[in-house]
Amino acid sequence: AHARETLARVLMQQEKYEAAVTELAVLVKKDPDAVEVRMILATALLELGRLADAEVHLTEVLQRDPDRHQARQNLAYVLLQRDQAAAAARHLRELLRRDPGQHKARRDLVTVLLGELDFAAAAAELTVLLDQSAPNAAELWKLLGYAHRCAGLPLAAMAAYTQAVVRDPDSEEARLGLIQSLVDQGDLVRARPLLRQELSRDSTRA
C-alpha cells in the first residue's frame, strides 16, 4: 500500500492524474478510512474536472475528520462550480465557525453572498475580514461600499468608499462609488466638485 501511495504521489507531480486516480482508487477500496489518500484522490479528480466524484470523496473525508479544513474549503469550491451556492455557503460558515481565522474562506463566502444578493450578510463578513486581516485593502473597502450601497445604506457606503479612495486614490471605481453614494444621500454639494474632477480627468485622458 505504501508503494502504491508513493507511486500515486509521483504521478500527481508528473500531472498524470488519470493514472494517479487508478492507483488511489485501489487504496481507497482497500481502506475506506484512509483520509489522506482520499484527499489526494479528490485533488486528482478536481484536476480532471470530475467534480461530482471529487465531491463524494471530500464528503467522505469530512465525515471521518470534520476538522479537515482543506477538505471543507475544496468541497465549497466544488459546490460553487456545480451551482450549489447555498450548500457552499453552509460549508464555508461551518469552516469559519471552527476556525474564524480562515481568511480565504471568508472571502469566498463574501463572493457567494454577493452572488446571492445577500448584501447585508456580505457587508458583515467584509467588516470582519477588514478587522481581522486587511484594514488597508482598498479592494475590500470597495466591496464593502458596494454591499452597503446595494443594501440601501448610502451613509455606510460613503464611509467605505472614502476609505477605499484614501488607500487607492487612482481607483476610478472607488471614486465613482463615493460620488454615487453622495448622490444617493442627496448630498449634491459634495458630489458636484468630485464629479467635476472626474470629468476633468476624462477630458485630460482624451
PDB file of all heavy atoms in Angstrom, residues 142-163:
ATOM      1  N   LYS A 142     -13.803  48.757  -1.211  1.00  0.00           N
ATOM      2  CA  LYS A 142     -14.691  48.982  -2.353  1.00  0.00           C
ATOM      3  C   LYS A 142     -15.851  47.994  -2.345  1.00  0.00           C
ATOM      4  O   LYS A 142     -17.004  48.368  -2.591  1.00  0.00           O
ATOM      5  CB  LYS A 142     -13.912  48.859  -3.667  1.00  0.00           C
ATOM      6  CG  LYS A 142     -13.054  50.070  -3.991  1.00  0.00           C
ATOM      7  CD  LYS A 142     -12.444  49.981  -5.373  1.00  0.00           C
ATOM      8  CE  LYS A 142     -11.310  49.006  -5.434  1.00  0.00           C
ATOM      9  NZ  LYS A 142     -10.614  49.018  -6.744  1.00  0.00           N
ATOM     10  N   LEU A 143     -15.540  46.736  -2.059  1.00  0.00           N
ATOM     11  CA  LEU A 143     -16.602  45.731  -1.974  1.00  0.00           C
ATOM     12  C   LEU A 143     -17.591  46.059  -0.862  1.00  0.00           C
ATOM     13  O   LEU A 143     -18.804  45.887  -1.022  1.00  0.00           O
ATOM     14  CB  LEU A 143     -15.994  44.340  -1.733  1.00  0.00           C
ATOM     15  CG  LEU A 143     -15.471  43.585  -2.949  1.00  0.00           C
ATOM     16  CD1 LEU A 143     -14.823  42.280  -2.504  1.00  0.00           C
ATOM     17  CD2 LEU A 143     -16.583  43.317  -3.946  1.00  0.00           C
ATOM     18  N   LEU A 144     -17.059  46.539   0.261  1.00  0.00           N
ATOM     19  CA  LEU A 144     -17.931  46.903   1.370  1.00  0.00           C
ATOM     20  C   LEU A 144     -18.826  48.081   0.973  1.00  0.00           C
ATOM     21  O   LEU A 144     -20.027  48.098   1.296  1.00  0.00           O
ATOM     22  CB  LEU A 144     -17.088  47.257   2.602  1.00  0.00           C
ATOM     23  CG  LEU A 144     -17.867  47.621   3.872  1.00  0.00           C
ATOM     24  CD1 LEU A 144     -18.801  46.491   4.292  1.00  0.00           C
ATOM     25  CD2 LEU A 144     -16.907  47.963   5.010  1.00  0.00           C
ATOM     26  N   GLY A 145     -18.258  49.058   0.276  1.00  0.00           N
ATOM     27  CA  GLY A 145     -19.065  50.172  -0.207  1.00  0.00           C
ATOM     28  C   GLY A 145     -20.175  49.696  -1.136  1.00  0.00           C
ATOM     29  O   GLY A 145     -21.332  50.138  -1.021  1.00  0.00           O
ATOM     30  N   TYR A 146     -19.822  48.791  -2.030  1.00  0.00           N
ATOM     31  CA  TYR A 146     -20.813  48.235  -2.962  1.00  0.00           C
ATOM     32  C   TYR A 146     -21.918  47.507  -2.210  1.00  0.00           C
ATOM     33  O   TYR A 146     -23.113  47.686  -2.493  1.00  0.00           O
ATOM     34  CB  TYR A 146     -20.108  47.291  -3.935  1.00  0.00           C
ATOM     35  CG  TYR A 146     -21.038  46.500  -4.816  1.00  0.00           C
ATOM     36  CD1 TYR A 146     -21.663  47.096  -5.911  1.00  0.00           C
ATOM     37  CD2 TYR A 146     -21.296  45.158  -4.558  1.00  0.00           C
ATOM     38  CE1 TYR A 146     -22.525  46.370  -6.725  1.00  0.00           C
ATOM     39  CE2 TYR A 146     -22.151  44.422  -5.366  1.00  0.00           C
ATOM     40  CZ  TYR A 146     -22.760  45.035  -6.449  1.00  0.00           C
ATOM     41  OH  TYR A 146     -23.612  44.306  -7.239  1.00  0.00           O
ATOM     42  N   ALA A 147     -21.527  46.679  -1.231  1.00  0.00           N
ATOM     43  CA  ALA A 147     -22.515  45.913  -0.465  1.00  0.00           C
ATOM     44  C   ALA A 147     -23.455  46.840   0.299  1.00  0.00           C
ATOM     45  O   ALA A 147     -24.680  46.648   0.307  1.00  0.00           O
ATOM     46  CB  ALA A 147     -21.812  44.954   0.494  1.00  0.00           C
ATOM     47  N   HIS A 148     -22.892  47.853   0.940  1.00  0.00           N
ATOM     48  CA  HIS A 148     -23.731  48.808   1.682  1.00  0.00           C
ATOM     49  C   HIS A 148     -24.662  49.571   0.735  1.00  0.00           C
ATOM     50  O   HIS A 148     -25.834  49.791   1.051  1.00  0.00           O
ATOM     51  CB  HIS A 148     -22.851  49.804   2.432  1.00  0.00           C
ATOM     52  CG  HIS A 148     -22.281  49.273   3.716  1.00  0.00           C
ATOM     53  ND1 HIS A 148     -23.019  48.518   4.611  1.00  0.00           N
ATOM     54  CD2 HIS A 148     -21.040  49.412   4.272  1.00  0.00           C
ATOM     55  CE1 HIS A 148     -22.264  48.214   5.650  1.00  0.00           C
ATOM     56  NE2 HIS A 148     -21.071  48.734   5.464  1.00  0.00           N
ATOM     57  N   ARG A 149     -24.148  49.969  -0.404  1.00  0.00           N
ATOM     58  CA  ARG A 149     -24.975  50.731  -1.349  1.00  0.00           C
ATOM     59  C   ARG A 149     -26.137  49.874  -1.856  1.00  0.00           C
ATOM     60  O   ARG A 149     -27.273  50.339  -1.935  1.00  0.00           O
ATOM     61  CB  ARG A 149     -24.117  51.216  -2.512  1.00  0.00           C
ATOM     62  CG  ARG A 149     -24.855  52.156  -3.446  1.00  0.00           C
ATOM     63  CD  ARG A 149     -23.895  52.934  -4.342  1.00  0.00           C
ATOM     64  NE  ARG A 149     -24.667  53.866  -5.154  1.00  0.00           N
ATOM     65  CZ  ARG A 149     -25.085  53.590  -6.389  1.00  0.00           C
ATOM     66  NH1 ARG A 149     -24.775  52.450  -6.955  1.00  0.00           N
ATOM     67  NH2 ARG A 149     -25.807  54.488  -7.065  1.00  0.00           N
ATOM     68  N   CYS A 150     -25.841  48.622  -2.187  1.00  0.00           N
ATOM     69  CA  CYS A 150     -26.894  47.715  -2.665  1.00  0.00           C
ATOM     70  C   CYS A 150     -27.895  47.390  -1.559  1.00  0.00           C
ATOM     71  O   CYS A 150     -29.060  47.079  -1.845  1.00  0.00           O
ATOM     72  CB  CYS A 150     -26.282  46.433  -3.215  1.00  0.00           C
ATOM     73  SG  CYS A 150     -25.353  46.672  -4.747  1.00  0.00           S
ATOM     74  N   ALA A 151     -27.440  47.458  -0.305  1.00  0.00           N
ATOM     75  CA  ALA A 151     -28.331  47.201   0.833  1.00  0.00           C
ATOM     76  C   ALA A 151     -29.148  48.433   1.201  1.00  0.00           C
ATOM     77  O   ALA A 151     -29.940  48.401   2.151  1.00  0.00           O
ATOM     78  CB  ALA A 151     -27.525  46.728   2.031  1.00  0.00           C
ATOM     79  N   GLY A 152     -28.929  49.533   0.467  1.00  0.00           N
ATOM     80  CA  GLY A 152     -29.693  50.747   0.733  1.00  0.00           C
ATOM     81  C   GLY A 152     -29.174  51.546   1.906  1.00  0.00           C
ATOM     82  O   GLY A 152     -29.943  52.217   2.595  1.00  0.00           O
ATOM     83  N   LEU A 153     -27.835  51.492   2.115  1.00  0.00           N
ATOM     84  CA  LEU A 153     -27.216  52.211   3.233  1.00  0.00           C
ATOM     85  C   LEU A 153     -26.176  53.185   2.669  1.00  0.00           C
ATOM     86  O   LEU A 153     -24.966  52.950   2.743  1.00  0.00           O
ATOM     87  CB  LEU A 153     -26.551  51.223   4.198  1.00  0.00           C
ATOM     88  CG  LEU A 153     -27.490  50.186   4.842  1.00  0.00           C
ATOM     89  CD1 LEU A 153     -26.688  49.131   5.582  1.00  0.00           C
ATOM     90  CD2 LEU A 153     -28.463  50.886   5.784  1.00  0.00           C
ATOM     91  N   PRO A 154     -26.632  54.306   2.099  1.00  0.00           N
ATOM     92  CA  PRO A 154     -25.697  55.219   1.421  1.00  0.00           C
ATOM     93  C   PRO A 154     -24.661  55.843   2.342  1.00  0.00           C
ATOM     94  O   PRO A 154     -23.530  56.095   1.925  1.00  0.00           O
ATOM     95  CB  PRO A 154     -26.617  56.276   0.808  1.00  0.00           C
ATOM     96  CG  PRO A 154     -27.883  56.205   1.608  1.00  0.00           C
ATOM     97  CD  PRO A 154     -28.025  54.769   2.007  1.00  0.00           C
ATOM     98  N   LEU A 155     -25.030  56.107   3.601  1.00  0.00           N
ATOM     99  CA  LEU A 155     -24.066  56.705   4.516  1.00  0.00           C
ATOM    100  C   LEU A 155     -22.923  55.738   4.800  1.00  0.00           C
ATOM    101  O   LEU A 155     -21.746  56.117   4.786  1.00  0.00           O
ATOM    102  CB  LEU A 155     -24.763  57.112   5.821  1.00  0.00           C
ATOM    103  CG  LEU A 155     -23.913  57.910   6.820  1.00  0.00           C
ATOM    104  CD1 LEU A 155     -23.442  59.218   6.177  1.00  0.00           C
ATOM    105  CD2 LEU A 155     -24.714  58.207   8.080  1.00  0.00           C
ATOM    106  N   ALA A 156     -23.267  54.474   5.059  1.00  0.00           N
ATOM    107  CA  ALA A 156     -22.235  53.461   5.290  1.00  0.00           C
ATOM    108  C   ALA A 156     -21.424  53.232   4.024  1.00  0.00           C
ATOM    109  O   ALA A 156     -20.203  53.027   4.080  1.00  0.00           O
ATOM    110  CB  ALA A 156     -22.879  52.157   5.751  1.00  0.00           C
ATOM    111  N   ALA A 157     -22.086  53.270   2.870  1.00  0.00           N
ATOM    112  CA  ALA A 157     -21.380  53.110   1.598  1.00  0.00           C
ATOM    113  C   ALA A 157     -20.381  54.241   1.401  1.00  0.00           C
ATOM    114  O   ALA A 157     -19.229  54.022   0.988  1.00  0.00           O
ATOM    115  CB  ALA A 157     -22.385  53.087   0.450  1.00  0.00           C
ATOM    116  N   MET A 158     -20.786  55.477   1.707  1.00  0.00           N
ATOM    117  CA  MET A 158     -19.898  56.622   1.568  1.00  0.00           C
ATOM    118  C   MET A 158     -18.658  56.457   2.444  1.00  0.00           C
ATOM    119  O   MET A 158     -17.526  56.706   2.003  1.00  0.00           O
ATOM    120  CB  MET A 158     -20.624  57.907   1.960  1.00  0.00           C
ATOM    121  CG  MET A 158     -19.779  59.158   1.804  1.00  0.00           C
ATOM    122  SD  MET A 158     -20.400  60.544   2.794  1.00  0.00           S
ATOM    123  CE  MET A 158     -20.018  59.982   4.453  1.00  0.00           C
ATOM    124  N   ALA A 159     -18.855  55.992   3.674  1.00  0.00           N
ATOM    125  CA  ALA A 159     -17.734  55.813   4.593  1.00  0.00           C
ATOM    126  C   ALA A 159     -16.753  54.770   4.045  1.00  0.00           C
ATOM    127  O   ALA A 159     -15.529  54.956   4.100  1.00  0.00           O
ATOM    128  CB  ALA A 159     -18.248  55.397   5.969  1.00  0.00           C
ATOM    129  N   ALA A 160     -17.300  53.676   3.504  1.00  0.00           N
ATOM    130  CA  ALA A 160     -16.442  52.612   2.969  1.00  0.00           C
ATOM    131  C   ALA A 160     -15.706  53.079   1.718  1.00  0.00           C
ATOM    132  O   ALA A 160     -14.499  52.846   1.565  1.00  0.00           O
ATOM    133  CB  ALA A 160     -17.271  51.372   2.669  1.00  0.00           C
ATOM    134  N   TYR A 161     -16.418  53.728   0.805  1.00  0.00           N
ATOM    135  CA  TYR A 161     -15.767  54.222  -0.414  1.00  0.00           C
ATOM    136  C   TYR A 161     -14.708  55.277  -0.089  1.00  0.00           C
ATOM    137  O   TYR A 161     -13.672  55.365  -0.758  1.00  0.00           O
ATOM    138  CB  TYR A 161     -16.796  54.790  -1.383  1.00  0.00           C
ATOM    139  CG  TYR A 161     -17.503  53.752  -2.208  1.00  0.00           C
ATOM    140  CD1 TYR A 161     -18.895  53.658  -2.213  1.00  0.00           C
ATOM    141  CD2 TYR A 161     -16.788  52.860  -3.009  1.00  0.00           C
ATOM    142  CE1 TYR A 161     -19.557  52.698  -2.980  1.00  0.00           C
ATOM    143  CE2 TYR A 161     -17.440  51.904  -3.770  1.00  0.00           C
ATOM    144  CZ  TYR A 161     -18.812  51.829  -3.759  1.00  0.00           C
ATOM    145  OH  TYR A 161     -19.457  50.884  -4.520  1.00  0.00           O
ATOM    146  N   THR A 162     -14.963  56.084   0.939  1.00  0.00           N
ATOM    147  CA  THR A 162     -13.964  57.077   1.355  1.00  0.00           C
ATOM    148  C   THR A 162     -12.678  56.374   1.780  1.00  0.00           C
ATOM    149  O   THR A 162     -11.571  56.786   1.413  1.00  0.00           O
ATOM    150  CB  THR A 162     -14.506  57.936   2.515  1.00  0.00           C
ATOM    151  OG1 THR A 162     -15.664  58.644   2.065  1.00  0.00           O
ATOM    152  CG2 THR A 162     -13.464  58.937   2.984  1.00  0.00           C
ATOM    153  N   GLN A 163     -12.814  55.298   2.556  1.00  0.00           N
ATOM    154  CA  GLN A 163     -11.638  54.526   2.973  1.00  0.00           C
ATOM    155  C   GLN A 163     -10.917  53.946   1.758  1.00  0.00           C
ATOM    156  O   GLN A 163      -9.680  53.906   1.712  1.00  0.00           O
ATOM    157  CB  GLN A 163     -12.064  53.399   3.919  1.00  0.00           C
ATOM    158  CG  GLN A 163     -12.590  53.855   5.263  1.00  0.00           C
ATOM    159  CD  GLN A 163     -11.517  54.510   6.110  1.00  0.00           C
ATOM    160  OE1 GLN A 163     -10.329  54.229   5.978  1.00  0.00           O
ATOM    161  NE2 GLN A 163     -11.931  55.409   6.992  1.00  0.00           N
TER     162      GLN A 163
END
